[in-house]
Amino acid sequence: YPPLTTIPPPAKYGGRHTVTLIPGDGIGPELLTHVRELFRFCCVPVDFEIVSIDSKSTSDDDMNNAITAIRRNGVALKGNIETNHNLPPSHISRNNILRTSLDLYANVIHCQTLPGVRTRHRDVDIIIIRENTEGEYSSLEHENVPGVVECLKIITRKKSLRIAEYAFNAARQNGRRRVTAVHKANIMKLGDGLFLQCCKEVAAGYPEITFDSMIVDNTTMQLVSKPQQFDVMVMPNLYGSVISNVCAGLVGGPGLVPGANYGKDYAVFETATRNTGKSIANKNIANPTATLLASCLMLDHLRLHGYASMIRKAILATVSETRLHTADLGGQGTTSEVVQSVMREIESKGPRTSEQI
Amino acid sequence: MICLKRSAPSRHLWKEGLISSICTLVSRVVGAMKSQASHPRTFSRGLQTVTLIPGDGIGPEISTAVMKIFEAAKAPIQWEERNVTAIKGPGGKWMIPTEAKDSMDKSKIGLKGPLKTPIAAGHPSMNLLLRKTFDLYANVRPCVSIEGYKTPYTDVDLVTIRENTEGEYSGIEHVIVDGVVQSIKLITEEASQRIAEYAFEYARNNQRASVTAVHKANIMRMSDGLFLRKCREVAENFKDIKFTEMYLDTVCLNMVQDPTQFDVLVMPNLYGDILSDLCAGLIGGLGVTPSGNIGANGVAIFESVHGTAPDIAGKDLANPTALLLSAVMMLRHMGLHGQAKKIETACFDTIRDKKVLTKDLGGNSKCSEFTGEICRRVQDME
């Protein structure tokens, strides 16, 4: 889903994988604990190496440990790390540092209407592929004259070609017919113009896939009125943030959509909208669906497809059960009730120790 | 303008000079007592002049529609029609025709239809020219759900206030080396202060409860951080208005799930562009969304933000709602709330009734029929 065919299969020692787990802040730790619980219950051959990152500390040691651990294991599952935006600019967002150090250039989010979740729009099925390392998130800012701040948005040919290649490849592997590039090249003629140019070049190598482009403000307007028209979308970093949040909102909210960050050698899985959920932390009301589905994406990445589809089926069955909906879906269910239900669902389907399931 | 009655023509110039300077002093005091929403120069008959720029494509027909409706409502507006095309001024700089600029400088209020930007014309877009000429720093878009024009979202009632002069649209881009481009996003203390002040004043003048600053300071610490700091500072002077801050992605996420939680949103240029169009999409698109641009020196230009629709131009098929609602916004800006409510109600009632609707609203009436229906309702309200 979409596996990068160039990555060799992750190493297995004694038949078990080791995955780095970064609990993060807010609802991250509790939800990832549920993931571990679920994996233990299903006897998934994955061991977690837990690496904590203290968002309050200003030293880089935690980050370096985490990055080393991910380099060692190749795969990670993480919660969102809080960024205090009142700290000086030298304190860069930890999540951002992780993405750029590991060169996780593609953020892939698949937004699908789930059965049993009431939304304003039906039949939404959009794959969003967002450039994850450059663009507006380059963290290059300076104040030349007091009171005048310049922030640099960097677009490079190399990274634009790379993300376009990823998008078209993913579209092809998933049998998708159309790729839409989202941009603002009418205003940022050179920057987004370059991005668009690169997409067009790559599109030429995929004649069976229709390629078109749309300006970002028109895109958001179309998304809230007719989201069914979109198939695969590719875009630079900031527009990716906006569009992925809009699409996640369209299919039911931050608690439902998983996200994946792929690089050439590493993959990190998290929720699509990257929220810390501070206000609902430790209250047993957070929706675990997004995190659980992210762990399924991770299992797919580890080629443990049997476990992945077993858990995913159980999650989808649970989500369609309205009485188990958590507060974000308008219900009164608790996190543990949802997880218990997933486990019961899996149990009812038969033995779970065999790897051949 | 109050003026002391002059005595019989006097040969003593110093007396005339004294009287006229007293007149000036009195009018200056009166002017200072007027509210912040600077009212334009009133004519002695009570009519207010508004510079009307019909625009291209469907512009002329929807402008005519608006003028007809205003006439039926007996609104005290005197229209001064002007055209804007880019002309090269002395020194080679592109500018708008002097008649248009003079008219706007005098009247201070403008209503504008859609303008086309010919591609590869050599000159910047007309909208950009207007923005630069009058320093239109705030773009205000109230988004209110229209009863009768169904969208998946009901009860939307928010206002987006977007900084319109700097930010990501500074137009400063360079090719560093082949294949590497940098675009510069500019945030200044001055512009951030100005837009924040406008946002809070707007909230106060329009009885809005809260202002939310939309930013991405977790990633763009210095630039959005500066914007945020300025908003916080201005918020200190407006303790009656609730001030909150929210990340752009969180706003997008929450907006499509529950737009009723938002009130007034203030933000830099790019986020404003995206969010204002997102909100327009929530209520039905650009064909029904009003928009106003506030400039320095009391200039305000209200406009419809849809395109020129050349394919239906001249065929009496256009929908004048966006321009009409912008004109209503203009009336409110001028303090003519009664007239504004009358025309707005007539428009909404017509749409709600669904009997006479233009094609884009789901009916098959002509523009003139739609206009006529609104005029009829307005007159019935007398």
PDB file of all heavy atoms in Angstrom, chain A residues 85-86 91 120 137 141 147 149 151 153 155 157 184 190-191 217 245, chain B residues 152 173 179 181 183 185 187 189 216 221-223 247 249 257 273 277:
ATOM      1  N   HIS A  85       5.217  27.243  20.147  1.00  0.00           N
ATOM      2  CA  HIS A  85       5.555  28.244  19.134  1.00  0.00           C
ATOM      3  C   HIS A  85       5.894  29.598  19.727  1.00  0.00           C
ATOM      4  O   HIS A  85       6.061  30.567  19.005  1.00  0.00           O
ATOM      5  CB  HIS A  85       4.461  28.354  18.077  1.00  0.00           C
ATOM      6  CG  HIS A  85       3.122  28.750  18.614  1.00  0.00           C
ATOM      7  ND1 HIS A  85       2.123  27.843  18.853  1.00  0.00           N
ATOM      8  CD2 HIS A  85       2.616  29.956  18.941  1.00  0.00           C
ATOM      9  CE1 HIS A  85       1.062  28.472  19.301  1.00  0.00           C
ATOM     10  NE2 HIS A  85       1.323  29.758  19.373  1.00  0.00           N
ATOM     11  N   ASN A  86       5.983  29.659  21.052  1.00  0.00           N
ATOM     12  CA  ASN A  86       6.435  30.913  21.651  1.00  0.00           C
ATOM     13  C   ASN A  86       7.925  30.917  21.931  1.00  0.00           C
ATOM     14  O   ASN A  86       8.494  31.915  22.347  1.00  0.00           O
ATOM     15  CB  ASN A  86       5.669  31.178  22.949  1.00  0.00           C
ATOM     16  CG  ASN A  86       4.198  31.392  22.675  1.00  0.00           C
ATOM     17  OD1 ASN A  86       3.836  32.145  21.783  1.00  0.00           O
ATOM     18  ND2 ASN A  86       3.355  30.706  23.406  1.00  0.00           N
ATOM     19  N   HIS A  91      14.483  27.033  18.052  1.00  0.00           N
ATOM     20  CA  HIS A  91      13.867  25.785  18.486  1.00  0.00           C
ATOM     21  C   HIS A  91      12.918  25.300  17.393  1.00  0.00           C
ATOM     22  O   HIS A  91      11.752  25.670  17.364  1.00  0.00           O
ATOM     23  CB  HIS A  91      13.109  26.062  19.802  1.00  0.00           C
ATOM     24  CG  HIS A  91      12.396  24.873  20.346  1.00  0.00           C
ATOM     25  ND1 HIS A  91      12.930  24.079  21.340  1.00  0.00           N
ATOM     26  CD2 HIS A  91      11.206  24.316  20.045  1.00  0.00           C
ATOM     27  CE1 HIS A  91      12.091  23.108  21.625  1.00  0.00           C
ATOM     28  NE2 HIS A  91      11.025  23.236  20.857  1.00  0.00           N
ATOM     29  N   ARG A 120     -21.041  14.867   5.698  1.00  0.00           N
ATOM     30  CA  ARG A 120     -21.867  15.630   4.770  1.00  0.00           C
ATOM     31  C   ARG A 120     -21.702  15.155   3.335  1.00  0.00           C
ATOM     32  O   ARG A 120     -22.552  15.386   2.495  1.00  0.00           O
ATOM     33  CB  ARG A 120     -21.485  17.101   4.845  1.00  0.00           C
ATOM     34  CG  ARG A 120     -21.873  17.754   6.128  1.00  0.00           C
ATOM     35  CD  ARG A 120     -21.526  19.228   6.057  1.00  0.00           C
ATOM     36  NE  ARG A 120     -21.974  19.959   7.200  1.00  0.00           N
ATOM     37  CZ  ARG A 120     -21.275  20.110   8.313  1.00  0.00           C
ATOM     38  NH1 ARG A 120     -20.089  19.575   8.398  1.00  0.00           N
ATOM     39  NH2 ARG A 120     -21.760  20.780   9.326  1.00  0.00           N
ATOM     40  N   TYR A 137       8.304  24.821   4.614  1.00  0.00           N
ATOM     41  CA  TYR A 137       8.755  24.282   5.891  1.00  0.00           C
ATOM     42  C   TYR A 137      10.268  24.217   5.967  1.00  0.00           C
ATOM     43  O   TYR A 137      10.816  23.395   6.684  1.00  0.00           O
ATOM     44  CB  TYR A 137       8.162  22.882   6.101  1.00  0.00           C
ATOM     45  CG  TYR A 137       6.676  22.874   6.400  1.00  0.00           C
ATOM     46  CD1 TYR A 137       5.814  23.778   5.817  1.00  0.00           C
ATOM     47  CD2 TYR A 137       6.140  21.945   7.282  1.00  0.00           C
ATOM     48  CE1 TYR A 137       4.466  23.764   6.091  1.00  0.00           C
ATOM     49  CE2 TYR A 137       4.787  21.910   7.563  1.00  0.00           C
ATOM     50  CZ  TYR A 137       3.950  22.824   6.968  1.00  0.00           C
ATOM     51  OH  TYR A 137       2.614  22.808   7.241  1.00  0.00           O
ATOM     52  N   GLU A 141      14.408  31.638   8.053  1.00  0.00           N
ATOM     53  CA  GLU A 141      13.797  32.949   8.240  1.00  0.00           C
ATOM     54  C   GLU A 141      14.851  33.906   8.748  1.00  0.00           C
ATOM     55  O   GLU A 141      15.769  33.513   9.456  1.00  0.00           O
ATOM     56  CB  GLU A 141      12.669  32.874   9.278  1.00  0.00           C
ATOM     57  CG  GLU A 141      11.503  31.997   8.862  1.00  0.00           C
ATOM     58  CD  GLU A 141      10.477  31.899   9.965  1.00  0.00           C
ATOM     59  OE1 GLU A 141      10.799  31.368  11.037  1.00  0.00           O
ATOM     60  OE2 GLU A 141       9.344  32.352   9.746  1.00  0.00           O
ATOM     61  N   GLY A 147      11.516  44.656  12.344  1.00  0.00           N
ATOM     62  CA  GLY A 147      10.113  44.790  11.984  1.00  0.00           C
ATOM     63  C   GLY A 147       9.784  44.221  10.619  1.00  0.00           C
ATOM     64  O   GLY A 147       8.632  44.229  10.207  1.00  0.00           O
ATOM     65  N   VAL A 149      10.264  40.747   8.473  1.00  0.00           N
ATOM     66  CA  VAL A 149      10.757  39.368   8.504  1.00  0.00           C
ATOM     67  C   VAL A 149      10.579  38.725   7.148  1.00  0.00           C
ATOM     68  O   VAL A 149       9.542  38.877   6.511  1.00  0.00           O
ATOM     69  CB  VAL A 149       9.986  38.542   9.561  1.00  0.00           C
ATOM     70  CG1 VAL A 149      10.415  37.087   9.521  1.00  0.00           C
ATOM     71  CG2 VAL A 149      10.233  39.118  10.943  1.00  0.00           C
ATOM     72  N   CYS A 151      10.647  35.085   5.121  1.00  0.00           N
ATOM     73  CA  CYS A 151      10.625  33.636   5.295  1.00  0.00           C
ATOM     74  C   CYS A 151      10.804  33.031   3.918  1.00  0.00           C
ATOM     75  O   CYS A 151      10.119  33.408   2.979  1.00  0.00           O
ATOM     76  CB  CYS A 151       9.280  33.220   5.896  1.00  0.00           C
ATOM     77  SG  CYS A 151       9.029  31.460   5.970  1.00  0.00           S
ATOM     78  N   LYS A 153      10.668  30.243   1.040  1.00  0.00           N
ATOM     79  CA  LYS A 153      10.040  29.004   0.585  1.00  0.00           C
ATOM     80  C   LYS A 153      10.914  28.482  -0.537  1.00  0.00           C
ATOM     81  O   LYS A 153      11.108  29.153  -1.540  1.00  0.00           O
ATOM     82  CB  LYS A 153       8.626  29.305   0.080  1.00  0.00           C
ATOM     83  CG  LYS A 153       8.033  28.208  -0.794  1.00  0.00           C
ATOM     84  CD  LYS A 153       6.646  28.594  -1.257  1.00  0.00           C
ATOM     85  CE  LYS A 153       6.203  27.719  -2.430  1.00  0.00           C
ATOM     86  NZ  LYS A 153       4.774  27.769  -2.649  1.00  0.00           N
ATOM     87  N   ILE A 155      11.769  25.716  -3.397  1.00  0.00           N
ATOM     88  CA  ILE A 155      11.286  24.623  -4.249  1.00  0.00           C
ATOM     89  C   ILE A 155      12.453  24.201  -5.119  1.00  0.00           C
ATOM     90  O   ILE A 155      13.072  25.052  -5.768  1.00  0.00           O
ATOM     91  CB  ILE A 155      10.121  25.076  -5.149  1.00  0.00           C
ATOM     92  CG1 ILE A 155       8.954  25.588  -4.322  1.00  0.00           C
ATOM     93  CG2 ILE A 155       9.672  23.943  -6.057  1.00  0.00           C
ATOM     94  CD1 ILE A 155       7.995  24.563  -3.837  1.00  0.00           C
ATOM     95  N   ARG A 157      14.041  21.439  -8.097  1.00  0.00           N
ATOM     96  CA  ARG A 157      13.676  20.560  -9.190  1.00  0.00           C
ATOM     97  C   ARG A 157      13.769  19.098  -8.760  1.00  0.00           C
ATOM     98  O   ARG A 157      12.876  18.288  -9.015  1.00  0.00           O
ATOM     99  CB  ARG A 157      14.649  20.821 -10.336  1.00  0.00           C
ATOM    100  CG  ARG A 157      14.214  20.251 -11.617  1.00  0.00           C
ATOM    101  CD  ARG A 157      15.160  20.687 -12.724  1.00  0.00           C
ATOM    102  NE  ARG A 157      14.994  19.789 -13.812  1.00  0.00           N
ATOM    103  CZ  ARG A 157      13.906  19.762 -14.581  1.00  0.00           C
ATOM    104  NH1 ARG A 157      12.938  20.606 -14.373  1.00  0.00           N
ATOM    105  NH2 ARG A 157      13.812  18.882 -15.540  1.00  0.00           N
ATOM    106  N   LYS A 184      -0.084  27.248  -6.710  1.00  0.00           N
ATOM    107  CA  LYS A 184      -0.503  28.652  -6.793  1.00  0.00           C
ATOM    108  C   LYS A 184       0.451  29.353  -7.740  1.00  0.00           C
ATOM    109  O   LYS A 184       1.052  30.392  -7.439  1.00  0.00           O
ATOM    110  CB  LYS A 184      -0.462  29.277  -5.394  1.00  0.00           C
ATOM    111  CG  LYS A 184      -1.113  30.612  -5.286  1.00  0.00           C
ATOM    112  CD  LYS A 184      -2.563  30.541  -4.894  1.00  0.00           C
ATOM    113  CE  LYS A 184      -3.148  31.946  -5.075  1.00  0.00           C
ATOM    114  NZ  LYS A 184      -4.480  32.003  -5.502  1.00  0.00           N
ATOM    115  N   LEU A 190       7.623  31.457 -10.188  1.00  0.00           N
ATOM    116  CA  LEU A 190       8.851  30.679 -10.291  1.00  0.00           C
ATOM    117  C   LEU A 190       8.791  29.425  -9.426  1.00  0.00           C
ATOM    118  O   LEU A 190       9.089  28.333  -9.881  1.00  0.00           O
ATOM    119  CB  LEU A 190      10.060  31.535  -9.876  1.00  0.00           C
ATOM    120  CG  LEU A 190      10.460  32.659 -10.826  1.00  0.00           C
ATOM    121  CD1 LEU A 190      11.721  33.327 -10.330  1.00  0.00           C
ATOM    122  CD2 LEU A 190      10.676  32.124 -12.226  1.00  0.00           C
ATOM    123  N   GLY A 191       8.388  29.626  -8.149  1.00  0.00           N
ATOM    124  CA  GLY A 191       8.390  28.505  -7.215  1.00  0.00           C
ATOM    125  C   GLY A 191       7.405  27.417  -7.603  1.00  0.00           C
ATOM    126  O   GLY A 191       7.776  26.303  -7.987  1.00  0.00           O
ATOM    127  N   ASP A 217      -6.740  27.623  -3.971  1.00  0.00           N
ATOM    128  CA  ASP A 217      -7.982  28.156  -3.415  1.00  0.00           C
ATOM    129  C   ASP A 217      -9.204  27.586  -4.119  1.00  0.00           C
ATOM    130  O   ASP A 217     -10.214  27.271  -3.478  1.00  0.00           O
ATOM    131  CB  ASP A 217      -8.013  29.693  -3.375  1.00  0.00           C
ATOM    132  CG  ASP A 217      -7.308  30.350  -4.535  1.00  0.00           C
ATOM    133  OD1 ASP A 217      -6.528  29.680  -5.239  1.00  0.00           O
ATOM    134  OD2 ASP A 217      -7.518  31.549  -4.741  1.00  0.00           O
ATOM    135  N   ASN A 245      -5.855  18.340   5.787  1.00  0.00           N
ATOM    136  CA  ASN A 245      -6.765  18.616   6.893  1.00  0.00           C
ATOM    137  C   ASN A 245      -8.196  18.793   6.417  1.00  0.00           C
ATOM    138  O   ASN A 245      -9.137  18.337   7.073  1.00  0.00           O
ATOM    139  CB  ASN A 245      -6.301  19.849   7.664  1.00  0.00           C
ATOM    140  CG  ASN A 245      -5.253  19.497   8.704  1.00  0.00           C
ATOM    141  OD1 ASN A 245      -5.573  19.144   9.825  1.00  0.00           O
ATOM    142  ND2 ASN A 245      -3.991  19.545   8.303  1.00  0.00           N
TER     143      ASN A 245
ATOM    144  N   PRO B 152     -24.146  21.669   1.708  1.00  0.00           N
ATOM    145  CA  PRO B 152     -24.059  20.738   2.834  1.00  0.00           C
ATOM    146  C   PRO B 152     -23.851  21.432   4.170  1.00  0.00           C
ATOM    147  O   PRO B 152     -23.949  20.813   5.215  1.00  0.00           O
ATOM    148  CB  PRO B 152     -22.844  19.859   2.477  1.00  0.00           C
ATOM    149  CG  PRO B 152     -22.706  19.985   1.014  1.00  0.00           C
ATOM    150  CD  PRO B 152     -23.177  21.347   0.647  1.00  0.00           C
ATOM    151  N   GLU B 173      10.763  36.513  -6.007  1.00  0.00           N
ATOM    152  CA  GLU B 173      11.243  35.152  -6.224  1.00  0.00           C
ATOM    153  C   GLU B 173      12.583  35.199  -6.928  1.00  0.00           C
ATOM    154  O   GLU B 173      12.833  36.081  -7.743  1.00  0.00           O
ATOM    155  CB  GLU B 173      10.264  34.368  -7.101  1.00  0.00           C
ATOM    156  CG  GLU B 173       8.921  34.111  -6.428  1.00  0.00           C
ATOM    157  CD  GLU B 173       8.035  33.235  -7.286  1.00  0.00           C
ATOM    158  OE1 GLU B 173       7.519  33.743  -8.286  1.00  0.00           O
ATOM    159  OE2 GLU B 173       7.876  32.049  -6.956  1.00  0.00           O
ATOM    160  N   GLY B 179      17.467  25.035 -10.975  1.00  0.00           N
ATOM    161  CA  GLY B 179      16.722  23.975 -10.307  1.00  0.00           C
ATOM    162  C   GLY B 179      16.403  24.249  -8.853  1.00  0.00           C
ATOM    163  O   GLY B 179      15.786  23.426  -8.185  1.00  0.00           O
ATOM    164  N   VAL B 181      14.594  27.230  -6.512  1.00  0.00           N
ATOM    165  CA  VAL B 181      13.903  28.517  -6.524  1.00  0.00           C
ATOM    166  C   VAL B 181      13.533  28.909  -5.104  1.00  0.00           C
ATOM    167  O   VAL B 181      13.119  28.062  -4.316  1.00  0.00           O
ATOM    168  CB  VAL B 181      12.614  28.431  -7.377  1.00  0.00           C
ATOM    169  CG1 VAL B 181      11.844  29.735  -7.313  1.00  0.00           C
ATOM    170  CG2 VAL B 181      12.954  28.085  -8.807  1.00  0.00           C
ATOM    171  N   SER B 183      11.073  31.552  -2.944  1.00  0.00           N
ATOM    172  CA  SER B 183      10.031  32.578  -2.938  1.00  0.00           C
ATOM    173  C   SER B 183      10.076  33.194  -1.554  1.00  0.00           C
ATOM    174  O   SER B 183      10.165  32.484  -0.560  1.00  0.00           O
ATOM    175  CB  SER B 183       8.654  31.973  -3.148  1.00  0.00           C
ATOM    176  OG  SER B 183       8.612  31.215  -4.311  1.00  0.00           O
ATOM    177  N   LYS B 185       8.515  35.199   1.556  1.00  0.00           N
ATOM    178  CA  LYS B 185       7.289  35.616   2.234  1.00  0.00           C
ATOM    179  C   LYS B 185       7.686  36.726   3.193  1.00  0.00           C
ATOM    180  O   LYS B 185       8.553  36.546   4.029  1.00  0.00           O
ATOM    181  CB  LYS B 185       6.724  34.422   2.998  1.00  0.00           C
ATOM    182  CG  LYS B 185       5.751  34.785   4.095  1.00  0.00           C
ATOM    183  CD  LYS B 185       5.184  33.529   4.738  1.00  0.00           C
ATOM    184  CE  LYS B 185       4.547  33.835   6.084  1.00  0.00           C
ATOM    185  NZ  LYS B 185       3.722  32.741   6.558  1.00  0.00           N
ATOM    186  N   ILE B 187       6.752  39.436   6.082  1.00  0.00           N
ATOM    187  CA  ILE B 187       5.800  39.853   7.109  1.00  0.00           C
ATOM    188  C   ILE B 187       6.409  41.062   7.807  1.00  0.00           C
ATOM    189  O   ILE B 187       7.554  41.003   8.265  1.00  0.00           O
ATOM    190  CB  ILE B 187       5.566  38.739   8.157  1.00  0.00           C
ATOM    191  CG1 ILE B 187       4.989  37.498   7.496  1.00  0.00           C
ATOM    192  CG2 ILE B 187       4.653  39.218   9.272  1.00  0.00           C
ATOM    193  CD1 ILE B 187       3.511  37.514   7.269  1.00  0.00           C
ATOM    194  N   GLU B 189       5.961  44.340  10.677  1.00  0.00           N
ATOM    195  CA  GLU B 189       5.282  44.725  11.910  1.00  0.00           C
ATOM    196  C   GLU B 189       4.133  45.675  11.589  1.00  0.00           C
ATOM    197  O   GLU B 189       3.033  45.536  12.095  1.00  0.00           O
ATOM    198  CB  GLU B 189       6.313  45.440  12.778  1.00  0.00           C
ATOM    199  CG  GLU B 189       6.089  45.298  14.236  1.00  0.00           C
ATOM    200  CD  GLU B 189       7.215  45.931  15.026  1.00  0.00           C
ATOM    201  OE1 GLU B 189       8.378  45.527  14.827  1.00  0.00           O
ATOM    202  OE2 GLU B 189       6.913  46.827  15.817  1.00  0.00           O
ATOM    203  N   LYS B 216       0.784  29.780  11.358  1.00  0.00           N
ATOM    204  CA  LYS B 216       1.528  28.527  11.381  1.00  0.00           C
ATOM    205  C   LYS B 216       2.858  28.786  12.058  1.00  0.00           C
ATOM    206  O   LYS B 216       3.923  28.493  11.515  1.00  0.00           O
ATOM    207  CB  LYS B 216       1.710  28.014   9.954  1.00  0.00           C
ATOM    208  CG  LYS B 216       0.900  26.753   9.842  1.00  0.00           C
ATOM    209  CD  LYS B 216       1.180  25.837   8.792  1.00  0.00           C
ATOM    210  CE  LYS B 216       1.476  24.420   9.237  1.00  0.00           C
ATOM    211  NZ  LYS B 216       0.770  23.883  10.388  1.00  0.00           N
ATOM    212  N   ARG B 221       8.300  30.243  12.568  1.00  0.00           N
ATOM    213  CA  ARG B 221       8.365  30.852  13.893  1.00  0.00           C
ATOM    214  C   ARG B 221       8.518  32.358  13.839  1.00  0.00           C
ATOM    215  O   ARG B 221       7.812  33.088  14.522  1.00  0.00           O
ATOM    216  CB  ARG B 221       9.536  30.242  14.655  1.00  0.00           C
ATOM    217  CG  ARG B 221       9.520  30.514  16.155  1.00  0.00           C
ATOM    218  CD  ARG B 221       8.379  29.778  16.842  1.00  0.00           C
ATOM    219  NE  ARG B 221       8.365  28.376  16.494  1.00  0.00           N
ATOM    220  CZ  ARG B 221       9.161  27.464  17.011  1.00  0.00           C
ATOM    221  NH1 ARG B 221      10.029  27.811  17.924  1.00  0.00           N
ATOM    222  NH2 ARG B 221       9.090  26.212  16.627  1.00  0.00           N
ATOM    223  N   MET B 222       9.424  32.853  13.009  1.00  0.00           N
ATOM    224  CA  MET B 222       9.702  34.294  13.016  1.00  0.00           C
ATOM    225  C   MET B 222       8.594  35.068  12.341  1.00  0.00           C
ATOM    226  O   MET B 222       8.082  36.051  12.875  1.00  0.00           O
ATOM    227  CB  MET B 222      11.002  34.567  12.263  1.00  0.00           C
ATOM    228  CG  MET B 222      12.079  35.165  13.074  1.00  0.00           C
ATOM    229  SD  MET B 222      13.409  35.692  12.017  1.00  0.00           S
ATOM    230  CE  MET B 222      14.776  35.085  12.921  1.00  0.00           C
ATOM    231  N   SER B 223       8.216  34.643  11.140  1.00  0.00           N
ATOM    232  CA  SER B 223       7.260  35.443  10.382  1.00  0.00           C
ATOM    233  C   SER B 223       5.870  35.384  10.989  1.00  0.00           C
ATOM    234  O   SER B 223       5.297  36.410  11.355  1.00  0.00           O
ATOM    235  CB  SER B 223       7.237  35.010   8.917  1.00  0.00           C
ATOM    236  OG  SER B 223       7.419  33.625   8.800  1.00  0.00           O
ATOM    237  N   TYR B 247      -3.931  27.143  14.743  1.00  0.00           N
ATOM    238  CA  TYR B 247      -3.110  26.764  13.607  1.00  0.00           C
ATOM    239  C   TYR B 247      -3.969  26.660  12.359  1.00  0.00           C
ATOM    240  O   TYR B 247      -5.125  26.248  12.410  1.00  0.00           O
ATOM    241  CB  TYR B 247      -2.437  25.412  13.842  1.00  0.00           C
ATOM    242  CG  TYR B 247      -1.334  25.426  14.866  1.00  0.00           C
ATOM    243  CD1 TYR B 247      -1.174  24.381  15.756  1.00  0.00           C
ATOM    244  CD2 TYR B 247      -0.430  26.489  14.958  1.00  0.00           C
ATOM    245  CE1 TYR B 247      -0.157  24.374  16.689  1.00  0.00           C
ATOM    246  CE2 TYR B 247       0.582  26.496  15.889  1.00  0.00           C
ATOM    247  CZ  TYR B 247       0.721  25.434  16.757  1.00  0.00           C
ATOM    248  OH  TYR B 247       1.729  25.430  17.689  1.00  0.00           O
ATOM    249  N   ASP B 249      -3.886  24.505   9.927  1.00  0.00           N
ATOM    250  CA  ASP B 249      -4.422  23.191   9.606  1.00  0.00           C
ATOM    251  C   ASP B 249      -5.575  22.819  10.531  1.00  0.00           C
ATOM    252  O   ASP B 249      -6.542  22.190  10.093  1.00  0.00           O
ATOM    253  CB  ASP B 249      -3.335  22.101   9.614  1.00  0.00           C
ATOM    254  CG  ASP B 249      -2.257  22.341  10.635  1.00  0.00           C
ATOM    255  OD1 ASP B 249      -2.266  23.381  11.319  1.00  0.00           O
ATOM    256  OD2 ASP B 249      -1.380  21.477  10.770  1.00  0.00           O
ATOM    257  N   GLN B 257     -15.769  20.552   9.387  1.00  0.00           N
ATOM    258  CA  GLN B 257     -16.621  19.723  10.225  1.00  0.00           C
ATOM    259  C   GLN B 257     -17.695  20.563  10.897  1.00  0.00           C
ATOM    260  O   GLN B 257     -18.851  20.169  10.957  1.00  0.00           O
ATOM    261  CB  GLN B 257     -15.778  19.019  11.295  1.00  0.00           C
ATOM    262  CG  GLN B 257     -14.872  17.957  10.706  1.00  0.00           C
ATOM    263  CD  GLN B 257     -14.055  17.288  11.784  1.00  0.00           C
ATOM    264  OE1 GLN B 257     -14.509  16.364  12.431  1.00  0.00           O
ATOM    265  NE2 GLN B 257     -12.845  17.761  11.988  1.00  0.00           N
ATOM    266  N   ASP B 273      -6.214  33.846   1.487  1.00  0.00           N
ATOM    267  CA  ASP B 273      -6.669  33.485   0.155  1.00  0.00           C
ATOM    268  C   ASP B 273      -7.351  32.119   0.195  1.00  0.00           C
ATOM    269  O   ASP B 273      -8.484  31.945  -0.250  1.00  0.00           O
ATOM    270  CB  ASP B 273      -5.454  33.444  -0.782  1.00  0.00           C
ATOM    271  CG  ASP B 273      -5.847  33.421  -2.227  1.00  0.00           C
ATOM    272  OD1 ASP B 273      -7.054  33.454  -2.518  1.00  0.00           O
ATOM    273  OD2 ASP B 273      -4.952  33.375  -3.081  1.00  0.00           O
ATOM    274  N   ASP B 277     -11.619  31.484   0.250  1.00  0.00           N
ATOM    275  CA  ASP B 277     -12.259  30.702  -0.805  1.00  0.00           C
ATOM    276  C   ASP B 277     -12.904  29.441  -0.248  1.00  0.00           C
ATOM    277  O   ASP B 277     -13.960  29.010  -0.720  1.00  0.00           O
ATOM    278  CB  ASP B 277     -11.243  30.351  -1.898  1.00  0.00           C
ATOM    279  CG  ASP B 277     -11.064  31.492  -2.886  1.00  0.00           C
ATOM    280  OD1 ASP B 277     -11.693  32.551  -2.686  1.00  0.00           O
ATOM    281  OD2 ASP B 277     -10.313  31.332  -3.866  1.00  0.00           O
TER     282      ASP B 277
END
